[in-house]
Each structure stands twice: as C-alpha cells, then as structure tokens.
Amino acid sequence: MITATEEDYIKAVFNISQNERKEMVGTNQIAAKMQTSAASVTDMLRKLNAKELIIYEKYKGAKLSALGTSQAMTLLRKHRLWESFLVYKLGFAWDEVHDLAEQLEHVKSAELVNKLDEYLGYPKFDPHGDPIPDLNGTLTIRNQVILSTLAGSDTGVVVGVKKHDKQFLSHLNKVNIKIGAEIKILEKYEYDQSTKVMIDQKNEAVLTLAVCENIFVKPV
Amino acid sequence: MITATEEDYIKAVFNISQNERKEMVGTNQIAAKMQTSAASVTDMLRKLNAKELIIYEKYKGAKLSALGTSQAMTLLRKHRLWESFLVYKLGFAWDEVHDLAEQLEHVKSAELVNKLDEYLGYPKFDPHGDPIPDLNGTLTIRNQVILSTLAGSDTGVVVGVKKHDKQFLSHLNKVNIKIGAEIKILEKYEYDQSTKVMIDQKNEAVLTLAVCENIFVKPV
DNA sequence: ATTAAAATTTAGACAAACTTAAAAAATATG
DNA sequence: CATATTTTTTAAGTTTGTCTAAATTTTAAT
Ligand SMILES: [Mn+2]
Ligand SMILES: [Mn+2]
Ligand SMILES: [Mn+2]
Ligand SMILES: [Mn+2]
C-alpha cells in the first residue's frame, strides 16, 4: 500500500532526476518541488527507502529503485491520461488541468485508468506534449530539441513544454504558442538573449530566454 | 476547508437520516456505516459540530445543519455524476462504480463537476436510479414505492435500488433485474415472505423479502 | 588547511484520524 | 423502581505527515 503523498514524492524524485539529468536527487530539491520542509523530506526518504521504492543514503541523496520507477510510470500514466480527458473531452484549457490531475492521479483503480485510456483512443501524448506511458510503462520517444537551441532562420514545430505551471502556459496562450504551432527563428538578440520569431507564419513575437528554454520543438 | 473524511461523515449522517426517516442519528449507526469505532465517531461529531456542519449534543445524537445539508448535496451530486460517467461513458457495470465514486467525489473543483454534468447531458438520475442534485442542490422527486409493498398481480417498473453494495447489485444482475425492468407480482408466499414475479414478461423468479425491500418501482 | 556557507539530519512537537479499554449515561426489563 | 443492557463518551496511545529549531555533515572559498 502506497499513500497519495508517497506517490507525489516518488514523482518528484523522478521529475527532478529527469530535468536535471542526474541520478541522485537532493533533499532540498525535493523540498522545493513538494513545497515542504527539508526535515519532512528526510523523514519521507527514510520511509520510501524502507519500502524499497527508492535507494537512499544519508547525506548522499535519493534515486528511484526499479520498483519506484514503475510506480512513477504508473502515476505519470494516470496523471497524463486524466489531463487528456479533461482537455480533449471536458473542454478544459491546457493551463487549467494540472492541479486537477494532481488529485485525480491518486484514485486507486487499474481498471479505471485502462478504461479511460481506451475511451480516449489510446493517446500517445498529453495536452502538454508529454508522452503517456503505456500499460507496460513504456514511453514514446520523440525527436525534439529545446527551442532556444535553434539558430537563425531555423524552423520548428512545438511538440511540448518543459514547465506546466499556469503562469507559463497562460503566457504562451497570449503569444499564440500552442502544441503544433510552427515557430521560425527570425533573429537572436545577443544583448538580452531574446529571440524574434514568426509563429504560424502570421504572428511575430519576441520571446525571452526564460520562455525559449521551456519549449520543445521538432526541427523541420 | 473540509477534509475527505469529514465529507464522508456528513454523507453518512445524511444517508442514515434519510433511510431511517428520523432527524437525529446515533453514534453507533454512524460507526457502522463508516466502518470505524464509536469513539472515532464521537471525536468527529465534536469536530463537525465545532465547524457548524452538524448540530450535535452529547448522548443525543447528530443532525445536519443547513450548511451541512448543502455540503451533503454537493457531495451527492459529485458522487452520482461520477457514477454516471463511469457507467454511461466508460462502460463500467452498475455494481462496479460505487467504490470508485467514493474516491472521485472528493476531488476538489466546482468547475470539474459542472463540466462533467454538461458532458453527460445533465442527467437527472444516476445508474442506480438515485436523483442527482442540480447546481442548487435540488433533487428531482419521483413517484416510487418499495417493491415489497406491491400486492398480487400489481406491476411496477424498476426505478432505483436502496442498497448499493456489489453483492446486492450482482444478485440483481443474476435475476435480470435492472433499471427500467418491468416486474409483475405473480404470487406472494406467506410462509417465508418470498414473492414469485415475472420480469420483463420473460423471466420468472422468486425474490426474497431481503431483495424486494431494497428495490424501488414506479407502479403501472 | 581553515573557515565560512550550504545542505542535510536530528530532536521535539503538533494535528488528524484511528485504535482499545474503561467509565459514564441512557434505555430497557423484571 | 432497581437492575441489567445498550449506547456513548473519555482516556490513553498509534500512525502519517507536517512543522521549527538546533546539530551535524558536506561543500565551497579564502
Ligand atoms: Mn498528486
Ligand atoms: Mn501534462
Ligand atoms: Mn467518499
Ligand atoms: Mn449511486
């Protein structure tokens, strides 16, 4: 038996590990993501270690065990399928669904998530472009790069976002960037590292580095 | 802020009060429904009273306040809309959805439940025939009687069930009783209070009192 | 190599929801 | 009406997840 809180910690370890591209995750990083104290994290790491969901050594940090990774995949699958349902079926916007999925993902039932998957037609990606793990926990790998790595006159199609907070996604809405949008680099300004782009051959916009660093594109 | 557990207690008080047709609900009754100890119930009643969700006096029992009743309605609405979604959209059977809805009902979001209501086409009744409260908490009243009150050669259409446990509903599946089924009383046996019935003018069955007491029918 | 700073753990405490066992109050019975 | 039974409450303790403050370990900087 794994609690909802334990599930969220497992997911936090997985996400940080992916984003930072390193195995071992530190106590403070987890505390920041979980919006809790470092002391609470230490307690939880000890418990998750005892349950063999993570491998943890005092002062060294934590990484997911095989069991923990499979749990993380199950949770990601649920989270992303619920987000897909909320957007594709109920008509929510992509910047409104994260907190809801954060709750729905903890509903206990393998049957439910599989029925949901079927109902949605087995989607491969969620509304933010994140891959949805299949029943075996396998993720679809996609050819993608960070928008900020494109050079002048390169073009890419938006396939995903790195951050999922409402503030960031609402900003993208304002400049007409959504999944599937075509972005052509017009000019990169050295001075403040901002970039002038053309979106869907219609809208011109200047994007700061903070924005370009968090958008995944498929180069065309 | 009301916790999921508090919500379940509120619902228990509401349900018991409805079923037993009396205002004041006792500690032991709640303990039985919540599958917990009487001591835990006393603790919770005190807390709910402090939050003004119920009116409670030591040794006297509890009843819902106006605030508590509105909370109960909101929760019933969520529970029944989720059950409707699970059956009408995801294809679950009516005896598989109660425990799932018991979890889903606690997801915090007014927006979500209203979007769900719209998506389902504003159903008035859930898969068990229970009325779904509307946005204002109003229940559709229906002309119904308990099957066991019908006399010989009377006929009724099944509109609901009083119990929702899997055991009972699965039994109804076995004898082909579902919402909308037509039941004609053929003979009532004095000896063991069982009843011979004709279901949908096709299947003959003998129903015990334990079954007839928990089926709502609309007389025809 | 010391020392300063940052990261992490320990200690002690709290709230929520639960448990069992004992005490008290209410109700039923002869 | 006195007593037995049932119902309810109190008391004491557990688990989960949280907190703050203090101590310790690791890492970074002179
Ligand atoms: Mn979550
Ligand atoms: Mn997502
Ligand atoms: Mn519930
Ligand atoms: Mn129902």
Side-chain angles (χ1 to χ4, degrees), chain A residues 84-92, chain B residues 82 112 115-116 118-119:
Chain A
S84 301
F85 168 70
L86 294 171
V87 170
Y88 304 147
K89 296 292 184 181
L90 291 197
F92 278 94
Chain B
W82 277 117
L112 173 56
K115 279 246 165 73
L116 196 60
E118 180 190 357
Y119 186 63

Side-chain angles (χ1 to χ4, degrees), chain A residues 79-80 83 97-98 126-130 164:
Chain A
H79 186 102
R80 292 174 182 172
E83 281 187 344
V97 296
H98 186 77
D126 83 1
H128 308 108
D130 292 312
H164 298 77

Side-chain angles (χ1 to χ4, degrees), chain B residues 11-22 25 29 33 130 161-164 214 216:
Chain B
K11 198 173 58 168
V13 172
F14 179 84
N15 281 332
I16 295 166
S17 182
Q18 289 264 307
N19 284 340
E20 318 275 290
R21 276 182 196 71
K22 56 178 174 161
V25 175
Q29 291 178 291
K33 177 145 275 191
D130 292 313
V161 289
K162 204 167 176 182
K163 301 205 306 177
H164 300 77
N214 288 292
F216 294 121

Side-chain angles (χ1 to χ4, degrees), chain B residues 58-206:
Chain B
K58 254 172 136 177
Y59 294 106
K60 295 278 181 63
K63 65 175 178 189
L64 293 184
S65 68
L67 181 60
T69 305
S70 113
Q71 287 283 346
M73 281 309 149
T74 303
L75 195 61
L76 273 188
R77 172 168 160 79
K78 293 206 254 178
H79 185 102
R80 292 173 182 172
L81 282 173
W82 277 117
E83 280 188 343
S84 301
F85 168 70
L86 294 172
V87 170
Y88 304 146
K89 297 291 185 182
L90 291 197
F92 278 93
W94 72 337
D95 59 338
E96 299 174 321
V97 296
H98 185 78
D99 291 346
L100 277 171
E102 203 58 49
Q103 297 180 63
L104 287 161
E105 69 189 355
H106 301 294
V107 173
K108 255 79 185 169
S109 167
E111 182 86 7
L112 173 56
V113 66
N114 295 336
K115 279 246 165 73
L116 196 60
D117 196 14
E118 180 190 357
Y119 186 63
L120 295 169
Y122 307 101
K124 290 260 187 298
F125 299 96
D126 83 359
H128 309 108
D130 292 313
I132 299 175
D134 67 15
L135 252 168
N136 314 309
T138 313
L139 289 167
T140 302
I141 305 296
R142 186 180 43 201
N143 177 31
Q144 64 181 31
V145 299
I146 306 277
L147 176 58
S148 57
T149 66
L150 289 194
S153 87
D154 284 355
T155 301
V157 171
V158 177
V159 293
V161 289
K162 204 167 176 182
K163 301 205 306 177
H164 300 77
D165 55 292
K166 198 172 172 47
Q167 295 74 41
F168 178 57
L169 297 177
S170 296
H171 178 70
L172 294 189
N173 285 344
K174 286 212 183 106
V175 293
N176 287 101
I177 292 179
K178 54 171 83 80
I179 301 289
E182 183 192 286
I183 299 185
K184 182 184 166 94
I185 310 291
L186 297 181
E187 191 172 358
K188 299 189 89 168
Y189 301 113
E190 282 285 317
Y191 178 67
D192 59 359
Q193 300 188 290
S194 64
T195 308
K196 183 153 74 168
V197 299
M198 176 65 82
I199 298 163
D200 281 329
Q201 304 177 338
K202 280 199 303 278
N203 306 299
E204 218 174 270
V206 173

